[in-house]
Amino acid sequence: MRMFYQYVLLCLIALLSACATNQPNPLQNLSGTYVGQVTSVINIPIKTEFSVNDKGVRSGQYVMTERDGTQVSGTLDEFKQEGPYTLLVSWHDKYGNGKLRMLFSEQQRSFKGFWGHHADSTLMRWDGVKE
């Protein structure tokens, strides 16, 4: 009888594992343009764009508009999903490079992000709302 219960338990674990792995990834097809603000010394406007190619590879770019109107372009790559709605990506622009950690809303209409020069120093704001 004990073997029967162990077998049932193993079947339940296998079934739950299969169900968990078949859950759709909410950020799998992340694409679109988000407008918001990024904080360095001051808050400045930023437009962040995400795309996904035919093979599911994510990429991104952004344009910051500095106080004097100068536009600074940058790229986003090395997308790593940390949770169902959380991404850690690398940013690169003329000021350097670092990490951006973003938490997306359930419908991907907005994100709250924090950036820094290392994954453990993402403290400055970078937000966006989908256009």
Side-chain angles (χ1 to χ4, degrees):
M1 190 63 125
R2 184 174 182 188
M3 293 262 308
F4 173 75
Y5 288 120
Q6 289 175 338
Y7 176 74
V8 170
L9 181 60
L10 286 174
C11 287
L12 284 172
I13 291 171
L15 180 61
L16 290 173
S17 296
C19 289
T21 57
N22 288 333
Q23 293 291 334
N25 179 348
L27 300 179
Q28 182 175 359
N29 298 316
L30 178 69
S31 62
T33 301
Y34 295 76
V35 293
Q37 294 200 349
V38 64
T39 302
S40 183
V41 176
I42 59 170
N43 291 335
I44 59 174
I46 190 165
K47 187 179 277 194
T48 309
E49 185 176 337
F50 303 101
S51 58
V52 180
N53 71 14
D54 299 357
K55 297 180 181 177
V57 177
R58 300 174 182 142
S59 63
Q61 56 191 8
Y62 57 93
V63 177
M64 300 179 288
T65 304
E66 295 182 328
R67 198 176 232 176
D68 66 359
T70 303
Q71 292 195 327
V72 176
S73 298
T75 59
L76 300 171
D77 59 20
E78 298 179 17
F79 284 66
K80 177 184 175 192
Q81 193 147 351
E82 294 186 318
Y85 298 98
T86 307
L87 292 175
L88 179 67
V89 304
S90 295
W91 60 266
H92 312 272
D93 61 36
K94 75 177 191 176
Y95 296 117
N97 57 68
K99 296 293 184 179
L100 167 63
R101 181 170 280 114
M102 297 170 287
L103 174 61
F104 284 85
S105 65
E106 189 173 339
Q107 300 301 319
Q108 301 167 21
R109 300 295 308 157
S110 64
F111 70 86
K112 299 282 186 204
F114 295 93
W115 69 275
H117 291 283
H118 306 285
D120 60 354
S121 67
T122 54
L123 302 172
M124 293 178 275
R125 188 177 119 196
W126 183 333
D127 299 334
V129 175
K130 198 168 197 175
E131 283 188 317

